[in-house]
Amino acid sequence: MLLIRCPYCEEERPELEFRHAGEAHVARSSEISDISDEAFEQFFFIRSNPKGIVFERWRHLNGCARFFNAARDTVSDRFLTTYKAGEPKPDVAGLLK
Ligand SMILES: [Zn+2]
């Protein structure tokens, strides 16, 4: 069973308690009604979806219910780290070993 560490509860819990919530660090324009249709499409629909390290939002739905971010390797499905929402992307180079 995959265990995911919630940075708020500060413990590893079974993945069944969590829900994936999309790509992390997608900035919403402060003037969303003024942007072009193409810019809105880019913001709303287009995601990077790389092979390798991704930064994702997750929610501890059946726990504290809070959103947090995670760095995960899509090749191995291994979580490199999790961190609280609002914190910057961590440097994951040292975590790849
Ligand atoms: Zn939690």
Side-chain angles (χ1 to χ4, degrees):
M1 175 181 296
L2 179 63
L3 297 175
I4 300 173
R5 183 182 185 281
C6 174
Y8 296 103
C9 298
E10 297 183 345
E11 62 180 319
E12 290 187 330
R13 302 294 304 159
E15 69 175 299
L16 297 174
E17 293 187 8
F18 296 86
R19 178 171 292 170
H20 182 263
E23 186 172 336
H25 305 286
V26 176
R28 180 184 173 95
S29 171
S30 60
E31 300 170 13
I32 196 80
S33 61
D34 295 334
I35 66 174
S36 69
D37 289 348
E38 291 78 18
F40 184 79
E41 177 186 24
Q42 183 71 31
F43 158 73
F44 202 75
F45 294 109
I46 307 301
R47 298 296 177 255
S48 58
N49 199 25
K51 177 182 178 185
I53 307 303
V54 295
F55 294 91
E56 302 171 318
R57 293 182 74 203
W58 283 79
R59 187 175 186 195
H60 193 185
L61 191 63
N62 295 313
C64 65
R66 298 184 77 174
F67 285 92
F68 62 92
N69 294 329
R72 184 174 65 88
D73 184 343
T74 60
V75 176
S76 66
D77 200 26
R78 185 169 72 96
F79 281 74
L80 303 176
T81 189
T82 58
Y83 52 103
K84 295 178 180 176
E87 292 181 350
K89 288 181 182 178
D91 179 11
V92 295
L95 302 171
L96 292 173
K97 298 170 186 167

mmCIF file of all heavy atoms in Angstrom, residues 6 8-9 60 63-64, ligand 1:
data_model
loop_
_atom_site.group_PDB
_atom_site.id
_atom_site.type_symbol
_atom_site.label_atom_id
_atom_site.label_comp_id
_atom_site.label_asym_id
_atom_site.label_seq_id
_atom_site.Cartn_x
_atom_site.Cartn_y
_atom_site.Cartn_z
ATOM 1 N N CYS A 6 1.268 13.443 5.109
ATOM 2 C CA CYS A 6 0.561 14.725 5.154
ATOM 3 C C CYS A 6 1.439 15.706 5.946
ATOM 4 O O CYS A 6 1.795 15.419 7.093
ATOM 5 C CB CYS A 6 -0.803 14.571 5.835
ATOM 6 S SG CYS A 6 -1.635 16.170 6.051
ATOM 7 N N TYR A 8 0.628 18.439 7.282
ATOM 8 C CA TYR A 8 -0.104 19.068 8.394
ATOM 9 C C TYR A 8 -0.273 18.076 9.548
ATOM 10 O O TYR A 8 -0.052 18.428 10.705
ATOM 11 C CB TYR A 8 -1.467 19.574 7.918
ATOM 12 C CG TYR A 8 -1.343 20.672 6.890
ATOM 13 C CD1 TYR A 8 -1.548 20.404 5.544
ATOM 14 C CD2 TYR A 8 -0.987 21.966 7.269
ATOM 15 C CE1 TYR A 8 -1.408 21.404 4.595
ATOM 16 C CE2 TYR A 8 -0.845 22.966 6.327
ATOM 17 C CZ TYR A 8 -1.058 22.682 4.990
ATOM 18 O OH TYR A 8 -0.905 23.664 4.052
ATOM 19 N N CYS A 9 -0.669 16.853 9.246
ATOM 20 C CA CYS A 9 -0.816 15.828 10.286
ATOM 21 C C CYS A 9 0.543 15.298 10.731
ATOM 22 O O CYS A 9 0.649 14.690 11.795
ATOM 23 C CB CYS A 9 -1.670 14.675 9.778
ATOM 24 S SG CYS A 9 -3.356 15.149 9.352
ATOM 25 N N HIS A 60 -5.810 15.849 1.766
ATOM 26 C CA HIS A 60 -5.973 14.780 2.767
ATOM 27 C C HIS A 60 -7.449 14.718 3.113
ATOM 28 O O HIS A 60 -7.874 15.056 4.217
ATOM 29 C CB HIS A 60 -5.107 15.084 3.999
ATOM 30 C CG HIS A 60 -4.973 13.914 4.907
ATOM 31 N ND1 HIS A 60 -4.320 13.996 6.111
ATOM 32 C CD2 HIS A 60 -5.402 12.616 4.785
ATOM 33 C CE1 HIS A 60 -4.373 12.800 6.704
ATOM 34 N NE2 HIS A 60 -5.018 11.960 5.920
ATOM 35 N N GLY A 63 -8.871 12.884 6.213
ATOM 36 C CA GLY A 63 -8.009 13.156 7.362
ATOM 37 C C GLY A 63 -8.280 14.580 7.799
ATOM 38 O O GLY A 63 -9.404 14.908 8.179
ATOM 39 N N CYS A 64 -7.267 15.433 7.679
ATOM 40 C CA CYS A 64 -7.427 16.830 8.103
ATOM 41 C C CYS A 64 -8.159 17.663 7.046
ATOM 42 O O CYS A 64 -8.525 18.808 7.309
ATOM 43 C CB CYS A 64 -6.072 17.448 8.412
ATOM 44 S SG CYS A 64 -4.981 17.580 6.965
HETATM 45 ZN ZN ZN B 1 -3.597 15.724 7.118
#
